[in-house]
Amino acid sequence: MSGIAERLPRLLSLVPYLLARPGVRIAEAAADFGTTERQLRRDLELLWMCGLPGYGPGDLVDLSFAGDTVTVTEDAGMRRPVRLTTAEATALLVALRSLGDVPGIVDTAAVRRATLKIEKAVGDAGLTGVAVELSPEEQATSAAVRGALERGHALRITYYTAGRDAVSRRTIDPMRLLLVEGRGYLEAWCRSAEGVRMFRLDRVEDVEELDVPAAPPPGAEPTDVSDGVFTARDDHRTAVLELQPEARWLAEYYPVEEVVEDPSGDGRATVSLRYADPGWLVRLVLGLGGGARVVEPPELGDAVAARAAAALATADVPVAPAHRSAGRTP
């Protein structure tokens, strides 16, 4: 099998490669790309389904086979060089700088070379001011984790679990560092949970390398993060919250399924958030101090209203109608 991280760059490179070498032997092409003939033939079969919008016979990549050789007869525009808009180049630079600043995840030298090439290509597009910085705490955590991985040692961490609003101490066997959707993660075998877990580096409050070997069990398999880190379970429920501009950070900090910008353009947004513990979500909404309003489900709005009313009664403060004080939709 060939993973998507390996296959996509190969597919993007295949057409220009074949155009420059008409009639190349499949065995030679496979060797040049460092893959097997079987995998290359599968890639060529997939290219037959790639092309331009319309996706009719004249819009798709077309190939001609003669014996064990292959020639591109229709490139569907894939011979043209990729040209980035300023917005695309900015997004790519932000992603590359994020990668380059997280030690141990990728070949940082290669990332920095690619960054320099893009900066040179866009010239004076105003991108030199784009900066991506990790907090000193996250940099220290990354360095400690990388050291433990290099030495094959276990770790003891203090970790904040946002979904339960709880801090726990865990002994873990680190497996790998990775970057998903712009955030650094440590994947490890958690000895207390007896399973593979993903730990966000910015939620690791303390880390200590232990003088004992890391020993994930043989069945500890890496997590498939092609669709993101958060995987909703059947017992998770969905809440819809309306966020004020000052609470927009919630959509960045917690895994949300959808973000809908308010048409007024005033910075408000409506988000869909999966949750397992209603009590945690009630505390989250109350903690935002009016920055979030529960749209759905109604029982969650009722719970927020009841908790707010109880707190105000204790403080001997007049209570407004529930749908206003607790943020529930009328």
Side-chain angles (χ1 to χ4, degrees):
M1 289 292 293
S2 179
I4 187 65
E6 299 175 0
R7 196 177 189 190
L8 181 58
R10 188 168 62 242
L11 286 168
L12 293 174
S13 303
L14 257 175
V15 172
Y17 171 91
L18 295 174
L19 286 169
R21 299 166 180 79
V24 66
R25 294 171 62 87
I26 292 177
E28 180 183 345
D32 287 343
F33 280 93
T35 189
T36 64
E37 292 185 46
R38 179 183 179 186
Q39 181 60 54
L40 190 73
R41 289 183 183 276
R42 293 180 62 186
D43 292 340
L44 295 173
E45 291 170 0
L46 182 56
L47 278 177
W48 259 328
M49 296 179 282
C50 300
L52 300 170
Y55 305 108
D59 304 315
L60 303 177
V61 172
D62 200 5
L63 306 169
S64 173
F65 293 89
D68 60 353
T69 67
V70 60
T71 300
V72 174
T73 56
E74 173 56 53
D75 58 48
M78 292 183 69
R79 69 169 64 236
R80 295 195 296 268
V82 175
R83 299 189 182 278
L84 301 176
T85 66
T86 300
E88 291 169 337
T90 300
L92 185 56
L93 280 174
V94 168
L96 285 170
R97 288 172 181 170
S98 295
L99 282 169
D101 287 338
V102 181
I105 292 181
V106 294
D107 182 346
T108 54
V111 169
R112 297 191 188 283
R113 288 196 300 271
T115 302
L116 290 172
K117 287 181 180 179
I118 295 174
E119 289 175 339
K120 182 178 179 181
V122 298
D124 298 324
L127 301 178
T128 54
V130 176
V132 176
E133 296 183 359
L134 298 177
S135 68
E137 295 80 8
E138 192 171 347
Q139 291 182 28
T141 298
S142 300
V145 170
R146 181 179 59 171
L149 282 167
E150 291 174 349
R151 289 181 284 274
H153 286 172
L155 291 168
R156 182 178 293 119
I157 64 172
T158 302
Y159 187 72
Y160 171 66
T161 303
R164 296 196 304 272
D165 190 26
V167 176
S168 60
R169 294 271 287 174
R170 304 163 182 250
T171 299
I172 61 173
D173 301 296
M175 296 164 59
R176 60 172 177 165
L177 277 168
L178 64 162
L179 193 75
V180 183
E181 298 174 347
R183 295 193 181 278
Y185 290 86
L186 163 63
E187 184 173 39
W189 176 264
C190 178
R191 296 185 183 182
S192 57
E194 296 186 342
V196 175
R197 295 292 186 268
M198 300 285 286
F199 301 100
R200 262 178 56 166
L201 295 181
D202 61 343
R203 293 180 181 168
V204 176
E205 298 185 355
D206 186 53
V207 58
E208 176 189 357
E209 182 177 342
L210 303 178
D211 192 21
V212 296
E221 294 291 335
T223 305
D224 180 4
V225 294
S226 56
D227 294 324
V229 172
F230 178 75
T231 302
R233 301 197 308 264
D234 292 340
D235 61 336
H236 285 172
R237 286 164 281 187
T238 300
V240 179
L241 306 178
E242 183 182 88
L243 304 178
Q244 297 298 319
E246 65 271 19
R248 285 292 302 269
W249 59 267
L250 182 144
E252 300 294 330
Y253 195 72
Y254 295 98
V256 298
E257 293 189 326
E258 185 180 23
V259 179
V260 179
E261 300 291 341
D262 192 273
S264 66
D266 62 359
R268 289 181 297 159
T270 300
V271 302
S272 297
L273 176 69
R274 296 294 292 267
Y275 67 99
D277 180 8
W280 166 78
L281 196 52
V282 168
R283 293 192 299 272
L284 175 65
V285 173
L286 289 172
L288 292 170
R293 184 166 65 92
V294 177
V295 179
E296 294 289 345
E299 60 270 20
L300 182 64
D302 291 340
V304 173
R307 183 73 65 85
L312 291 172
T314 301
D316 196 24
V317 175
V319 181
H323 69 266
R324 295 178 59 193
S325 63
R328 181 183 167 190
T329 300

